[in-house]
Amino acid sequence: MKISTTTNDPWHCVADMQVYFVHDSLQTRLPEAVESKIERARQAGDFPSRQEGTLSFYPESEQGCAAGRVLVIGLGKGDLNGEVFRVAGGRIAQKVKKIKTARIVAVLPEELEYPAREMSQYIVEGLILGSYQFGKYKTVEEDDEPRNLISELIIAATVQGDILAAMKRGLTGAESACQARDMANEPGNHWTAEDFAVYARKLAAEFDMPCKILGKSELRKLKMGGLLGVNQGTTVPPRLIMLEYRTGRQVPVLMLVGKGLTFDSGGISLKPSAGMQDMKYDMCGGAAVLAVMAALGRERPDNVDVVAVVPATDNMPGSGALKPGDIIRQYNGKTVEIISTDAEGRLILADALSYGIKRFKPEVVIDLATLTGAVIVGLGHHTTGLMSNDDDLVQRLCRAGEQSAEPVWRLPLGKEYSKQLKSQTADLKNVGGKGAGTITAGAFLQEFITDTKWAHLDIAGTAWNFTEKSYVPPKGPSGVGVRLLLELIREWQL
Ligand code: BES
Ligand code: MN
Ligand code: ZN
């Protein structure tokens, strides 16, 4: 999508659609013809200013409007914040999906007491996220439903300031999140560990980033018993993917680790078949991490180096598969008794974490994983679970969560929980018993963190079927984590 700004009188801006915003109690300046349509809608008992309300009309030629259509979006009656504008952007997208619109002029309600910069960023975010569709495997177009055709968004505002830069930030965040959704939507047979590697290499070439991919024989040499163990039951070889964003300056290193489990059948501890198809999404952590790298490649911040590590495999019950009772040795030497082969995420993450920490010596580590069903019991599909050994990092992640509307909530760690992982025969077992399933998974990962600052994000509830909004689809992957981490990096200070 092309983005630009204009200071021209919006009413005379040539477009397929002009978009205006109204608020229930705060006054916005509108062309007379728009005011009178709103007035008529109000008289008819409709409330276009409400958050759910929209009003659209085809202006008469004598009114001098340069657009074929006018859309009025209600901002509701509440306080203004970023999310109000994101939702508004999403609602433009929902409207546009049903009609043929290529070029849109959105008229910024500058009269409102809210920074024009932020309005612009969030409208762009909502519009792009809301326009998302995944049609790759549909061979026939659905009836005559027009595809989303927005090719250009122009924001009309009298103060230009840094509006274009803000729009670019919105574009980068949202397009990167859509890239993560694209990866996640790929089915297991079209998105294997090698597909992850190909994608990383493509980003490396596009943005000139160092990239290193380890295959099975290298993983064997390094003795990554976790990733290799999970991979035993499948015919598809594993990969460990590493991609680096370097500023060339003396700045701290942030390491992002994403679970790249391309399909989770559960292995020998087979999952029930109902709903198993959703386990193609078990790679959303890895997808988010690579999408963040793409965003950094576009935005080129100079305040932090970022390295991404994605352990990738599927989890299948083939005849060589790991069995309950087996004992494996992780990369860092710790032995693990397998209680359930379905608790596989922690095994591949453990190797990626300890190897990545040794190789890249990061100041801060953040991992993202669809790790436990239990986090859905605790937090539903609305909030990501956060566990960490650093209060300051927690605070910054919580802030970034609020800012990006990808909220996170901290759960405790502690020796009581770690104790649940004691094994009779090995250093650890991979399941911590009945209670606190999300926390014991976090406590397992903690065993592979040395004294580095670290946060673990359990996105099992939010990576797909996330809280439905105008810009988040009710079903399917959300791209969660991408805008959250990008916000954290944009605000980065150590
Ligand atoms: N990928 C799943 C977690 C998951 C479950 C994500 C449901 C989204 C929805 C993970 O590998 C898993 O199977 N976890 C087990 C752990 C258990 C065996 C200790 C779980 O949550 O049931
Ligand atoms: Mn599993
Ligand atoms: Zn899994």
Side-chain angles (χ1 to χ4, degrees):
M1 198 173 83
K2 252 171 65 184
I3 52 171
S4 60
T5 63
T6 181
T7 50
N8 295 341
D9 175 7
W11 193 243
H12 297 115
C13 284
V14 180
D16 297 306
M17 182 186 261
Q18 289 174 1
V19 183
Y20 295 88
F21 301 91
V22 285
H23 189 277
D24 227 20
S25 50
L26 307 166
Q27 276 296 318
T28 54
R29 226 179 12 247
L30 299 165
E32 220 166 285
V34 178
E35 282 288 9
S36 75
K37 288 281 183 192
I38 292 174
E39 195 42 47
R40 283 197 38 201
R42 287 216 168 103
Q43 277 164 14
D46 300 338
F47 297 94
S49 51
R50 271 197 193 150
Q51 262 214 0
E52 321 83 63
T54 56
L55 170 70
S56 74
F57 64 95
Y58 304 93
E60 306 298 337
S61 55
E62 65 271 16
Q63 293 173 320
C65 181
R69 302 182 189 79
V70 170
L71 175 66
V72 181
I73 298 271
L75 297 175
K77 57 183 172 201
D79 290 347
L80 295 175
N81 54 50
E83 183 65 356
V84 168
F85 291 98
R86 233 184 252 116
V87 168
R91 286 171 54 225
I92 302 172
Q94 297 319 319
K95 184 77 191 173
V96 166
K97 269 183 188 168
K98 300 188 189 105
I99 53 179
K100 229 178 147 188
T101 312
R103 192 176 143 101
I104 295 181
V105 176
V107 185
L108 219 58
E110 292 171 283
E111 317 70 60
L112 300 179
E113 253 176 66
Y114 192 77
R117 238 180 312 114
E118 289 176 34
M119 285 185 200
S120 311
Q121 175 181 340
Y122 297 133
I123 290 169
V124 172
E125 271 182 21
L127 186 59
I128 291 173
L129 290 168
S131 304
Y132 180 79
Q133 276 168 324
F134 185 77
K136 186 172 167 191
Y137 293 99
K138 294 228 185 230
T139 42
V140 266
E141 299 248 334
E142 224 125 275
D143 318 347
D144 42 12
E145 244 187 59
R147 289 228 169 279
N148 161 51
L149 290 169
I150 309 178
S151 56
E152 192 175 358
L153 171 69
I154 302 156
I155 288 191
T158 55
V159 208
Q160 292 289 281
D162 29 20
I163 286 184
L164 191 64
M167 290 175 78
K168 273 193 192 137
R169 273 196 299 278
L171 189 75
T172 300
E175 284 188 341
S176 305
C178 289
Q179 278 182 276
R181 290 178 182 176
D182 273 343
M183 286 183 243
N185 267 317
E186 288 288 347
N189 60 334
H190 289 283
W191 195 266
T192 62
E194 174 59 13
D195 291 288
F196 255 128
V198 168
Y199 200 92
R201 279 198 211 96
K202 230 180 61 204
L203 294 180
E206 186 178 351
F207 300 115
D208 194 23
M209 295 180 186
C211 179
K212 178 83 187 151
I213 315 276
L214 304 184
K216 199 167 182 169
S217 60
E218 288 145 308
L219 296 174
R220 277 209 181 108
K221 267 182 230 139
L222 289 166
K223 302 198 173 124
M224 293 214 190
L227 181 50
L228 288 168
V230 173
N231 184 253
Q232 271 173 220
T234 174
T235 55
V236 186
R239 297 284 183 266
L240 186 78
I241 293 136
M242 292 170 280
L243 186 62
E244 302 173 40
Y245 170 75
R246 296 290 181 183
T247 57
R249 293 159 46 114
Q250 284 290 55
V251 290
V253 178
L254 165 66
M255 180 168 88
L256 301 177
V257 178
K259 173 176 173 183
L261 212 292
T262 57
F263 182 75
D264 184 9
S265 72
I268 295 296
S269 315
L270 198 65
K271 285 185 181 294
S273 56
M276 205 202 269
Q277 66 277 10
D278 280 354
M279 283 301 134
K280 72 170 187 174
Y281 298 134
D282 210 15
M283 36 58 74
C284 282
V289 161
L290 289 192
V292 169
M293 298 306 280
L296 297 176
R298 298 189 180 105
E299 207 157 285
R300 298 235 142 246
D302 63 1
N303 55 344
V304 62
D305 281 357
V306 183
V307 299
V309 183
V310 178
T313 178
D314 53 353
N315 182 23
M316 296 292 282
S319 61
L322 220 50
K323 308 174 291 298
D326 284 0
I327 295 178
I328 61 164
R329 191 182 292 275
Q330 300 273 173
Y331 171 76
N332 77 344
K334 286 194 180 175
T335 55
V336 178
E337 180 192 5
I338 306 301
I339 302 301
S340 168
T341 64
D342 198 11
E344 84 298 338
R346 61 198 78 184
L347 304 177
I348 68 171
L349 287 167
D351 284 351
L353 286 166
S354 46
Y355 179 72
I357 289 172
K358 191 164 164 202
R359 180 173 175 137
F360 297 111
K361 304 181 177 54
E363 262 80 8
V364 177
V365 179
I366 300 174
D367 75 75
L368 254 86
T370 48
L371 206 59
T372 65
V375 80
I376 309 175
V377 178
L379 298 173
H381 290 284
H382 308 300
T383 307
T384 293
L386 162 64
M387 284 136 273
S388 176
N389 60 10
D390 188 76
D391 294 348
D392 177 58
L393 183 58
V394 166
Q395 252 187 18
R396 287 186 294 137
L397 276 164
C398 288
R399 250 198 76 73
E402 278 171 37
Q403 278 296 317
S404 59
E406 295 188 343
V408 302
W409 196 262
R410 188 184 198 174
L411 300 169
L413 292 166
K415 58 179 186 309
E416 302 82 357
Y417 299 107
S418 303
K419 207 173 139 199
Q420 288 182 236
L421 296 167
K422 283 226 157 85
S423 159
Q424 296 236 308
T425 48
D427 299 331
L428 292 166
K429 52 186 184 181
N430 77 333
V431 175
K434 265 216 168 94
T438 300
I439 298 175
T440 53
F444 184 93
L445 299 181
Q446 195 177 19
E447 298 286 333
F448 299 86
I449 306 295
T450 41
D451 49 8
T452 321
K453 293 177 185 176
W454 158 74
H456 158 57
L457 296 166
D458 192 332
I459 56 170
T462 49
W464 69 96
N465 304 355
F466 188 33
T467 322
E468 184 183 357
K469 295 177 193 177
S470 61
Y471 67 90
V472 181
K475 289 265 166 286
S478 60
V480 84
V482 178
R483 290 183 307 102
L484 169 75
L485 291 175
L486 199 56
E487 176 66 28
L488 182 86
I489 293 167
R490 282 169 176 165
E491 299 288 316
W492 190 266
Q493 306 123 6
L494 215 80

